[in-house]
């Protein structure tokens, strides 16, 4: 199974080069966190179809990193392949996501930001949708990144996480003196999950936070 870089060098080191091709990845985070920075980085190493279900395409494009380079500062794999941002139909986002997955270039990335409008669908339709999505991503040998907000989760969130191959759980803690971001990887199908949380620094980029925790 081929390993595809995530666009975040520290994760690639932890996972032996990146994520297994064909993986469906869920990134859980608080809506008020800087999780969009991580989604942005995931979209960078290869061609990417970025589907936005809530924000406008213009808003997403404005928030993406302008140079399109990887987090390390090196050129993205295959050069600047580019990210195509599209809005889904508010009344039927599932069909738009499946159509994008069916047309996904080989080894490309599909981003769904965010998954809540899809999870609002009846479970009898949502479950088969995830199965179809996983099959189409596997056929393309690419990666699907599903951005999921914790406060908006409903009964279909369990199905989302069950089908997912990899689950990233970003936990943001705010104290009187600092904001601490820890990334937990409780599930990694086809690889090894992290044994400990990874402390990240999320400002205008993604890096490892080397500051020491003081009890």
């Amino acid at each position: 199974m081929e390993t595809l870089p995530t666009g975040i060098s520290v994760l690639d080191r932890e996972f032996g080069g990146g994520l297994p091709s064909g993986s469906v990845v869920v990134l859980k985070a608080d809506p008020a966190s800087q999780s969009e920075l991580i989604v942005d980085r995931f979209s960078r190493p290869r061609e990417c179809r970025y589907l936005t279900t809530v924000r406008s395409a213009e808003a997403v494009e404005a928030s993406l990193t302008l140079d399109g380079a990887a987090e390390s500062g090196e050129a993205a794999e295959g050069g600047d392949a580019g990210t195509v941002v599209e809005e889904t139909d508010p009344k039927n986002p599932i069909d738009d996501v499946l159509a994008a997955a069916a047309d996904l270039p080989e080894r490309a990335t599909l981003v769904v930001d965010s998954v809540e409008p899809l999870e609002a669908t009846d479970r009898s339709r949502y479950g088969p949708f995830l199965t179809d999505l996983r099959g189409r991503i596997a056929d393309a040998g690419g990666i699907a990144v599903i951005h999921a907000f914790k406060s908006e989760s409903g009964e279909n969130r369990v199905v989302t996480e069950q089908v997912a191959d990899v689950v990233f759980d970003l936990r943001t803690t705010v104290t009187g003196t600092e904001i601490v971001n820890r990334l937990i990887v409780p599930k990694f199908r086809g690889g090894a999950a992290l044994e400990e949380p990874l402390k990240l620094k999320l400002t205008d980029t993604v890096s490892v936070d080397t500051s020491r925790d003081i009890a």
Side-chain angles (χ1 to χ4, degrees), residues 5-210:
T6 64
I8 302 175
S9 59
V10 61
L11 293 183
D12 292 340
R13 288 195 298 269
E14 292 287 345
F15 300 139
L19 300 172
S21 62
S23 295
V24 174
V25 180
V26 172
L27 171 62
K28 301 194 300 179
D30 295 326
S33 71
Q34 287 279 75
S35 60
E36 289 174 4
L37 287 175
I38 299 177
V39 178
D40 178 4
R41 289 299 152 191
F42 282 163
S43 73
R44 294 305 176 180
R46 295 164 298 280
E47 288 185 76
C48 176
R49 295 285 299 279
Y50 194 122
L51 301 184
T52 173
T53 63
V54 177
R55 295 188 294 160
S56 68
E58 291 78 10
V60 171
E61 290 170 345
S63 67
L64 294 176
T65 307
L66 295 178
D67 62 6
E71 179 263 340
S72 64
E74 299 176 354
E77 177 183 337
D80 186 6
T83 298
V84 177
V85 181
E86 299 173 341
E87 298 175 32
T88 59
D89 183 349
K91 296 182 179 180
N92 194 13
I94 281 181
D95 284 352
D96 286 346
V97 172
L98 289 178
D103 293 334
L104 196 68
E106 186 178 357
R107 302 171 67 251
T109 300
L110 175 69
V111 171
V112 179
D113 180 20
S114 60
V115 74
E116 285 72 35
L118 286 80
E119 288 180 332
T121 307
D122 185 84
R123 179 170 292 193
S124 63
R125 187 183 184 201
Y126 185 68
F129 153 72
L130 287 176
T131 301
D132 288 347
L133 175 64
R134 193 169 187 275
R136 297 183 188 192
I137 296 300
D139 289 342
I143 291 175
V145 177
I146 298 176
H147 197 191
F149 292 122
K150 297 177 183 178
S151 65
E152 301 292 337
S153 60
E155 62 177 10
N156 277 334
R157 178 58 53 82
V158 174
V159 183
T160 303
E161 296 182 20
Q162 182 178 5
V163 172
D165 299 292
V166 182
V167 175
F168 290 113
D169 186 352
L170 179 66
R171 301 187 181 182
T172 302
T173 304
V174 181
T175 68
T177 59
E178 64 177 348
I179 299 175
V180 177
N181 293 286
R182 289 183 172 86
L183 187 66
I184 299 171
V185 186
K187 181 179 183 181
F188 197 123
R189 187 180 290 142
L194 298 182
E195 294 183 351
E196 298 180 352
L198 186 64
K199 192 175 180 182
L200 298 179
K201 188 174 183 180
L202 303 177
T203 52
D204 58 345
T205 187
V206 182
S207 59
V208 178
D209 189 342
T210 57

